[in-house]
């Protein structure tokens, strides 16, 4: 298994950056002069494809962290062949509201200087190939994952919106949240922490502060997993809310 934790951290960091690249972020980039409108005359769809390809490549390059483990690939689709656009001296690429440069998306192009101003959208596919853990066999829902259940392979992180779980420390010992199939790359929604106690179980709560520490027993009002927020009913009828700790106790802030 890969042991360089910084490697996985860099990969996760870029995923969070890339998945959140929205129109507002790129407007600020354009305002800073990093992504300028392209001066050209539109003669064919190939021109629009070149403008789009260049814009997306530069945008990804500027937002790619140093030493990122991801290998980006961009492919640009075509407009409807029946569409006829008038020549344009300056085109401005833009990311539509709600769109992001991740997976199947689209980029807008608008004519700023021409006899007829127009605005069109080109389909774009952004792939991000990087290390991931791929299941070697089927895993039933509720089964705990071990190191033997997955092998490291390169996959397209952008094939789905859900984040890849690149660090094995974050999935070994976790439980399948649904039936999983061989060949699937592990992503966050596929996993959950193992259940520590059932609803109605007697659990111990603990609270610490400056100069004090409290420990008591209460009844869990619902099943609890590590890291989950749960409600506990105390013997006096008061209901407290806390977080399930690694040792199964409930940490409460008073």
């Amino acid at each position: 298994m890969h042991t360089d934790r910084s490697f996985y951290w860099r990969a996760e960091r870029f995923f969070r950056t890339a998945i959140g690249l929205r129109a507002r972020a790129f407007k600020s980039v354009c305002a800073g002069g990093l992504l300028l409108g392209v001066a050209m005359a539109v003669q064919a769809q190939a021109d629009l494809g070149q403008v789009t390809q260049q814009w997306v490549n530069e945008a990804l390059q500027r937002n790619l962290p140093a030493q990122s483990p991801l290998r980006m690939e961009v492919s640009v689709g075509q407009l409807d062949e029946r569409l006829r656009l008038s020549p344009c001296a300056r085109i401005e690429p833009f990311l539509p509201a709600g769109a992001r440069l991740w997976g199947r998306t689209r980029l807008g192009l608008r004519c700023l200087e021409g006899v007829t101003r127009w605005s069109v959208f080109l389909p774009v596919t952004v792939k991000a190939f990087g290390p991931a853990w791929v299941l070697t066999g089927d895993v039933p829902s509720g089964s705990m994952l071990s190191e033997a259940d997955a092998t490291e392979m390169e996959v397209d992180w952008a094939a789905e919106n859900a984040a890849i779980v690149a660090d094995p420390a974050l999935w070994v010992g976790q439980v399948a949240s649904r039936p999983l199939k061989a060949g699937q790359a592990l992503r966050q929604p596929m996993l959950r922490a193992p259940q520590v106690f059932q609803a109605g179980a007697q659990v111990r709560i603990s609270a610490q502060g400056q100069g004090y520490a409290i420990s008591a027993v209460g009844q869990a009002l619902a099943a609890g997993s590590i890291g989950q927020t749960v409600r506990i009913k105390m013997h006096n009828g008061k209901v407290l809310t806390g977080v399930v700790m690694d040792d199964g106790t409930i940490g409460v802030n008073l």
Side-chain angles (χ1 to χ4, degrees):
M1 281 195 171
H2 209 294
T3 57
D4 183 359
R5 298 298 295 276
S6 64
F7 177 87
Y8 298 111
W9 179 85
R10 291 194 301 271
E12 293 287 354
R13 178 187 172 197
F14 179 68
F15 176 85
R16 291 192 296 270
T17 301
I19 203 82
L21 294 181
R22 296 186 181 272
R24 184 173 59 181
F26 280 101
K27 285 180 181 178
S28 65
V29 174
C30 291
L34 296 179
L35 294 176
L36 303 178
V38 180
M40 59 169 290
V42 176
Q43 302 297 335
Q45 281 202 31
D47 294 331
L48 293 181
Q50 292 170 5
V51 172
T52 302
Q53 186 85 39
Q54 179 183 350
W55 193 92
V56 175
N57 287 341
E58 291 178 357
L60 292 173
Q61 184 177 6
R62 293 182 187 283
N63 287 275
L64 189 68
Q67 299 179 335
S68 169
L70 298 183
R71 176 173 55 85
M72 309 302 294
E73 288 186 6
V74 177
S75 59
V76 179
Q78 294 184 340
L79 295 174
D80 189 325
E81 294 181 353
R82 296 168 297 179
L83 191 62
R84 295 292 180 265
L85 300 176
S86 62
C88 184
R90 187 161 67 94
I91 299 172
E92 180 185 65
F94 67 95
L95 198 63
R100 55 196 177 197
L101 293 182
W102 194 257
R104 294 183 180 274
T105 185
R106 61 179 185 159
L107 187 73
L109 297 169
R110 53 187 163 223
C111 176
L112 299 182
E113 295 180 10
V115 176
T116 302
R117 294 197 176 188
W118 44 260
S119 179
V120 296
F121 297 94
L122 267 175
V124 175
T125 301
V126 179
K127 296 183 178 181
F129 292 98
W133 294 93
V134 177
L135 292 172
T136 55
D138 295 349
V139 178
S141 178
S143 296
M144 182 173 292
L145 292 166
S146 69
E147 294 182 3
D149 288 317
T151 185
E152 192 173 34
M153 297 177 61
E154 184 182 67
V155 303
D156 177 15
W157 286 34
E160 300 179 25
N161 287 335
I164 285 285
V165 184
D167 188 344
L170 299 179
W171 62 264
V172 172
Q174 296 292 293
V175 172
S177 61
R178 61 177 186 263
L180 304 179
K181 297 294 184 181
Q184 286 184 299
L186 290 175
R187 296 177 183 266
Q188 287 180 358
M190 299 178 179
L191 309 170
R192 62 174 175 83
Q195 187 171 293
V196 177
F197 51 78
Q198 298 282 350
Q202 296 295 303
V203 295
R204 181 165 295 278
I205 70 167
S206 61
Q208 292 184 345
Q210 188 172 1
Y212 72 88
I214 300 174
S215 180
V217 174
Q219 184 181 43
L221 297 181
S225 302
I226 295 174
Q228 184 180 5
T229 300
V230 295
R231 298 169 68 239
I232 306 299
K233 185 176 182 180
M234 307 307 295
H235 293 305
N236 61 5
K238 186 176 182 179
V239 176
L240 300 179
T241 300
V243 177
V244 183
M245 311 303 287
D246 289 343
D247 59 1
T249 61
I250 313 300
V252 176
N253 291 325
L254 298 179

